[in-house]
Amino acid sequence: MSAPSLSATPSGTDQGDAAMKPGAEVVLQALKDQGVEVIFGYPGGAVLPIYDALFQQNHIRHILVRHEQAAVHAAEGYARSTGKVGVVLVTSGPGATNAVTGLVDALMDSIPIVCLTGQVPTHLIGNDAFQEADTTGITRPATKHNYLVKRSEDLAAVLHDAFHIARSGRPGPVVIDLPKDILIKPAPYAPPPKPGAPHRSYRPVLDPDPAAIREAVRLLKGARQPIIYTGGGVINAGPEASALLTEFVRLTGMPCTNTLMGLGAFPASDPQFVGMLGMHGTYEANMCMWQCDVMLNIGARFDDRITGRLDKFSPNSKKIHADIDPSSINKNVKVEVPIVGDAARVLRALIAAWKEDATPFSRAQIEPWWRRIEEWRAIRCLAFTQDMTPGAIIKPQHAVKRLFEITRETGRDVIVSTEVGQHQMWAAQYIGFEKPNKWLTSGGLGTMGYGLPAAMGAQIANPDALCIDVAGEASILMNIQEMGTLAQYRLPVKVFILNNEYMGMVRQWQELLHGGRYSESYSDALPDFVKLADAFHAKGLRARSIEELDPVIREMIAHPGPVIADICVAKDENCFPMIPSGAAHNEMILGPDQEKNAARVTDEGKVLV
Amino acid sequence: MAGTDTRTATIAVLVENEAGVLARVIGLFSGRGYNIDSLTVAPVDAEGRLSRITIVTSGTEMVIEQIKAQLDRLVPVHKVSDLTLEGPHLVRELALIKVVGRGEHRVEALRLADAFRARVVDATTESFVFEMTGNAEKIDAFLALMRPLGLAEVSRTGAVAIARGTRQIAA
Ligand SMILES: Cc1cc2nc3c(=O)[nH]c(=O)nc-3n(C[C@H](O)[C@H](O)[C@H](O)COP(=O)(O)OP(=O)(O)OC[C@H]3O[C@@H](n4cnc5c(N)ncnc54)[C@H](O)[C@@H]3O)c2cc1C
Ligand SMILES: Cc1ncc(C[n+]2csc(CCOP(=O)(O)OP(=O)(O)O)c2C)c(N)n1
Ligand SMILES: [Mg+2]
């Protein structure tokens, strides 16, 4: 295609102060004008001009991580816990490639990130120069959008554009590749375009079509067995959306379930909450999905962890799907009523339309449905038995449950992140979230190593909060180096390791689907986590048996600095309920007694992950 | 569930004329496993900095709807239009076709070219280069006839398309 032109110039840009300053200073000015307070980064040759400019200012705080992947996860934790854009700064080549996992993670989970990458000077691009990588090429499928700034005139506009793209519509990560000469040469600066100025080409639809809203209300008022299923999109839409969701659910009296990414949008303690749905969701939530006659999906994407076997997914329901991204609608599951719009605006419109609509709706109409839900609930699918005699082995479920109960007693603002595996699912099952933005987990990519840096980013944004990473002993080693960052910035993050000495989630699948051949899933030669904490200037604690659990949790919370709590838990516990891959919602395995059902998983099911 | 019938769609996409936009579109198709039967691109509006991409693809109705939605969410994409769905439209492709041969074959090639309204744009005593525009089927038919007559080389542009009548695609 023809020479690059400045596509990014958002219309409505003020001419602003045309004074020239070095590109690196223009970058920092743009960040400041975008309201950026913190960036997570790691220096290197190509970004030295930015580091030099950072040194000479006081507006933006730089947090030096120990690995670029962690910089992105920290920015994700910062973003998810505040609703702001998380900002990352890395050098060219290996700095940029190290960031890629974090970028894909943010892409999958719709997290707004702006990542600045250094690049070799423009005249060397394409020459296999030292620490050159085709960053825009590599990150094209890893980002919502990316830019290579080749002309100083474009620099300020590209930065402002990147923030707009990262946070509007369906949020996501944006990369700006910055050649070193562009950072050094003088460049003009222009302030951000006026809010609401239309973008040249990117204009997501925010307001729902009123006719679709009326049709949704008509279906919902006629429902006998409704379910409201919401996801990460409600969190993305800001805390107001969660408040509106709560209002709408209570107004209608209908049951509500949340995805892993949507936890906290509706208060877990509310009697209308039926728990998380999906592969490791509750029996009642999945039975609601299986049996419902009308399904209202707001900001969830019919992920395969939710639908299970597609041709058997909720066979008898009429489906309404509201999502800001039209490509999420009718992607996996065909729906009767598509609604494109922002979750908060959709919910506000639904509430108004529900009240306006003259069709009577009485709770009596869904009373029999609630009676069935109560029967499903009575199965108590998350129940487990913990032997309380001193010396007894700690069950991982019990450890999480006590962590939840004891942290709740403190009355503090608690933010929980996780790594990936069984511990992640137990955290989702046994910790109740009453509010949005308190739960940070890698859902779409399932990135082991996410939790510690994410908790770190959340702690920076919420200095008074109690930030806890519920971890597995395998996952934590994937970004353990960030203990150094915690020490440097005195971040009192608590790492709560459910140490089962196995890659438990892998071991579980091997047990259920591969004949118990535990190929390479044992966590051999583990470090002594207490000594490891010590080496990183943190406090190390260990609970070996049940009587040590509560005291360790309390000591962990009471300690003013970072802590690693090594909780030695049962090694062979499986995470239930579970819908084996390729199965339908009514083929759920509830507990160990039903494990043999998994033996029936077909090869077709086994190819699924 | 969604039907399994497939159809062909000719999709016009107005995009920012900028580096990388073609890579985004092609990456989208390869990354998500969609078919590209043909893809063409060229700047169409220098002042407005716009290029137009024409993609011919095929899939189930659900897949084609998904392709359009995925294209539309690319940041530099202004407009996505499913010409096949939206009504009567013209599809044209240009081909340059080299036929090498002597004697009877040569005469026959020229006669057929005339019938197909292919123009001779280069000739030697042993070869012709024909230029032909039309839809893909017409060009395919012509190529099939040329094969036994000494078809040596083909260069095709892929389809470009536009709606009939007053209907327009604007950014
Ligand atoms: C080991 C493991 C096990 C898992 N098991 C489960 C499980 O049992 N249950 C489960 O639920 N998940 C599970 N997951 C997570 C799962 O993989 C998906 O990440 C998750 O289900 C997706 O959540 P979501 O549908 O809410 O979509 P998200 O990925 O959060 O996507 C959000 C959707 O909302 C839309 N959106 C964004 N912003 C807005 C807005 N402002 N307004 C409206 N819409 C908006 C987006 O376009 C998108 O479609 C598991 C993950 C792992 C790693
Ligand atoms: C980066 C990465 N590599 C591999 C996997 C596959 N995987 C998913 S869970 C898991 C085991 C995690 O073990 P641990 O952290 O001990 O958690 P547990 O399941 O035992 O609670 C693995 C290897 C992954 N999700 N991420
Ligand atoms: Mg483990």
Side-chain angles (χ1 to χ4, degrees):
Chain A
M1 302 211 74
S2 71
S5 59
L6 175 53
S7 65
T9 321
S11 25
T13 305
D14 288 337
Q15 258 332 80
D17 121 47
M20 305 285 270
K21 32 184 177 186
E25 286 177 31
V26 166
V27 169
L28 291 189
Q29 182 69 45
L31 296 186
K32 179 175 169 247
D33 289 354
Q34 288 291 340
V36 175
E37 291 163 359
V38 181
I39 62 182
F40 299 90
Y42 206 92
V47 284
L48 283 180
I50 301 186
Y51 276 87
D52 201 34
L54 270 172
F55 192 81
Q56 302 178 49
Q57 56 84 52
N58 297 315
H59 300 290
I60 296 170
R61 184 173 177 211
H62 179 272
I63 303 294
L64 177 66
V65 296
R66 274 29 176 190
H67 188 295
E68 289 88 350
Q69 181 193 350
V72 187
H73 294 323
E76 288 185 90
Y78 181 92
R80 193 65 161 185
S81 67
T82 60
K84 296 183 198 163
V85 177
V87 184
V88 177
L89 171 60
V90 299
T91 193
S92 66
T97 55
N98 268 352
V100 169
T101 300
L103 294 171
V104 180
D105 192 87
L107 183 71
M108 293 290 275
D109 286 346
S110 304
I111 311 289
I113 298 290
V114 169
C115 175
L116 310 175
T117 56
Q119 182 54 279
V120 301
T122 43
H123 69 275
L124 287 181
I125 289 178
N127 268 2
D128 300 323
F130 177 62
Q131 295 199 324
E132 177 180 1
D134 175 8
T135 300
T136 45
I138 291 168
T139 63
R140 199 171 288 124
T143 52
K144 179 173 173 184
H145 193 53
N146 63 14
Y147 312 81
L148 168 62
V149 181
K150 284 194 181 162
R151 305 188 317 170
S152 299
E153 310 84 281
D154 298 347
L155 182 59
V158 164
L159 273 143
H160 296 314
D161 202 49
F163 277 85
H164 176 74
I165 300 296
R167 72 177 147 234
S168 55
R170 179 177 184 168
V174 176
V175 160
I176 311 176
D177 204 21
L178 298 165
K180 195 169 182 184
D181 53 329
I182 299 287
L183 294 176
I184 293 169
K185 273 194 298 194
Y189 183 69
K194 291 188 193 70
H199 190 273
R200 249 180 85 77
S201 58
Y202 183 69
R203 295 174 198 162
V205 174
L206 302 180
D207 285 311
D209 171 10
I213 294 286
R214 281 194 300 274
E215 178 59 12
V217 166
R218 193 186 67 77
L219 278 182
L220 286 164
K221 286 217 172 165
R224 294 284 181 278
Q225 305 183 166
I227 180 76
I228 297 174
Y229 143 51
T230 79
V234 177
I235 313 278
N236 284 132
E240 194 201 351
S242 296
L244 289 164
L245 172 67
T246 307
E247 184 183 340
F248 185 67
V249 173
R250 290 186 181 149
L251 180 68
T252 58
M254 294 174 180
C256 179
T257 176
N258 292 160
T259 66
L260 183 76
M261 297 310 294
L263 294 174
F266 187 74
S269 61
D270 191 291
Q272 280 170 257
F273 188 59
V274 294
M276 181 174 85
L277 79 166
M279 182 175 270
H280 293 291
T282 66
Y283 183 68
E284 49 272 32
N286 286 323
M287 288 308 281
C288 282
M289 296 294 277
W290 172 251
Q291 296 272 323
C292 65
D293 63 353
V294 177
M295 176 189 300
L296 170 63
N297 168 345
I298 303 179
R301 56 186 172 84
F302 288 115
D303 183 77
D304 52 69
R305 297 297 89 160
I306 302 303
T307 58
R309 197 173 151 168
L310 266 178
D311 60 353
K312 290 199 172 173
F313 174 66
S314 194
N316 303 316
S317 61
K318 293 243 185 302
K319 300 175 187 73
I320 305 158
H321 186 185
D323 200 292
I324 204 162
D325 179 354
S327 79
S328 282
I329 300 176
N330 287 331
K331 181 171 67 175
N332 312 323
V333 172
K334 195 107 187 96
V335 300
E336 279 71 22
V337 186
I339 302 175
V340 178
D342 173 67
R345 299 189 194 204
V346 167
L347 280 157
R348 204 174 298 116
L350 281 173
I351 291 168
W354 180 275
K355 289 178 179 164
E356 263 163 42
D357 185 283
T359 322
F361 180 88
S362 78
R363 299 276 172 116
Q365 144 179 356
I366 55 171
E367 204 37 54
W369 177 232
W370 270 114
R371 276 201 298 277
R372 289 178 67 190
I373 295 172
E374 292 308 337
E375 284 166 23
W376 293 327
R377 258 186 185 154
I379 288 179
R380 301 183 58 238
C381 66
L382 294 178
F384 59 91
T385 39
Q386 169 69 55
D387 180 354
M388 295 305 290
T389 42
I393 297 170
I394 304 167
K395 286 225 173 165
Q397 299 92 324
H398 181 74
V400 176
K401 188 161 167 271
R402 288 304 293 151
L403 177 72
F404 171 52
E405 289 164 353
I406 296 173
T407 53
R408 194 175 45 183
E409 282 167 19
T410 67
R412 289 179 61 185
D413 179 18
V414 181
I415 299 177
V416 177
S417 72
T418 73
E419 307 291 336
V420 171
Q422 293 179 318
H423 62 276
Q424 176 189 26
M425 293 298 111
W426 286 317
Q429 292 172 336
Y430 295 97
I431 300 180
F433 294 92
E434 299 294 303
K435 286 191 202 143
N437 308 100
K438 307 293 175 199
W439 166 243
L440 318 171
T441 198
S442 171
L445 197 62
T447 313
M448 293 168 69
Y450 166 87
L452 174 53
M456 190 168 95
Q459 188 78 75
I460 302 260
N462 306 269
D464 299 326
L466 176 55
C467 296
I468 304 171
D469 173 26
V470 175
E473 83 294 335
S475 296
I476 193 63
L477 291 178
M478 286 213 179
N479 270 319
I480 192 71
Q481 76 287 344
E482 296 310 314
M483 290 303 296
T485 314
L486 297 187
Q488 179 176 348
Y489 298 96
R490 300 176 197 287
L491 300 171
V493 168
K494 318 300 179 197
V495 179
F496 189 76
I497 302 176
L498 297 182
N499 188 345
N500 53 9
E501 290 179 29
Y502 273 101
M503 298 172 193
M505 189 57 95
V506 174
R507 195 203 50 74
Q508 173 165 351
W509 282 54
Q510 288 173 333
E511 178 185 326
L512 301 182
L513 304 171
H514 295 276
R517 291 177 292 280
Y518 300 127
S519 178
E520 305 295 328
S521 54
Y522 182 64
S523 291
D524 216 330
L526 281 172
D528 179 329
F529 285 108
V530 173
K531 284 189 187 155
L532 189 75
D534 195 42
F536 276 113
H537 320 289
K539 189 175 189 70
L541 300 169
R542 180 170 292 126
R544 285 185 197 78
S545 51
I546 190 68
E547 72 284 3
E548 293 176 356
L549 178 66
D550 282 17
V552 162
I553 294 174
R554 289 186 204 283
E555 195 179 346
M556 173 184 91
I557 295 171
H559 183 71
V563 178
I564 296 180
D566 183 18
I567 312 296
C568 306
V569 296
K571 296 179 190 171
D572 52 0
E573 219 30 54
N574 285 333
C575 183
F576 293 117
M578 176 178 183
I579 302 175
S581 39
H585 281 167
N586 62 338
E587 298 171 294
M588 186 166 223
I589 308 174
L590 280 174
D593 304 344
Q594 295 179 332
E595 277 178 27
K596 55 189 177 299
N597 286 353
R600 285 186 296 151
V601 170
T602 58
D603 281 346
E604 207 182 316
K606 273 190 206 163
V607 301
L608 304 171
V609 285
Chain B
M1 275 311 296
T4 49
D5 293 351
T6 60
R7 72 159 170 112
T8 296
T10 303
I11 300 173
V13 192
L14 270 186
V15 300
E16 289 285 312
N17 178 11
E18 65 177 21
V21 67
L22 191 56
R24 282 181 215 287
V25 170
I26 291 173
L28 170 66
F29 276 74
S30 62
R32 294 186 183 265
Y34 305 141
N35 299 318
I36 301 183
D37 296 337
S38 125
L39 185 148
T40 62
V41 58
V44 288
D45 177 354
E47 218 169 281
R49 303 200 309 267
L50 296 176
S51 290
R52 179 161 167 145
I53 300 177
T54 308
I55 304 169
V56 182
T57 182
S58 51
T60 61
E61 200 53 54
M62 208 158 150
V63 167
I64 288 172
E65 285 308 311
Q66 185 57 207
I67 289 173
K68 290 187 282 183
Q70 292 289 351
L71 283 168
D72 209 22
R73 74 205 273 263
L74 295 178
V75 170
V77 167
H78 285 260
K79 183 91 190 168
V80 177
S81 181
D82 183 345
L83 292 167
T84 309
L85 205 67
E86 286 164 17
H89 60 283
L90 297 163
V91 182
R92 289 293 179 272
E93 183 174 353
L94 179 95
L96 296 173
I97 300 151
K98 184 171 289 181
V99 179
V100 177
R102 285 167 174 273
E104 265 312 296
H105 280 173
R106 205 171 138 74
V107 180
E108 181 65 4
L110 199 59
R111 217 175 48 73
L112 285 166
D114 194 45
F116 273 77
R117 298 214 194 100
R119 286 201 309 139
V120 178
V121 288
D122 179 72
T124 68
T125 52
E126 286 168 55
S127 69
F128 287 119
V129 174
F130 297 117
E131 173 196 304
M132 179 173 190
T133 56
N135 56 27
E137 294 81 68
K138 177 178 163 188
I139 294 172
D140 289 344
F142 183 68
L143 291 175
L145 291 172
M146 287 301 113
R147 205 151 286 130
L149 303 177
L151 178 67
E153 196 178 337
V154 189
S155 177
R156 298 172 70 157
T157 58
V160 292
I162 202 160
R164 284 184 184 272
T166 54
R167 235 164 3 100
Q168 294 167 29
I169 301 169

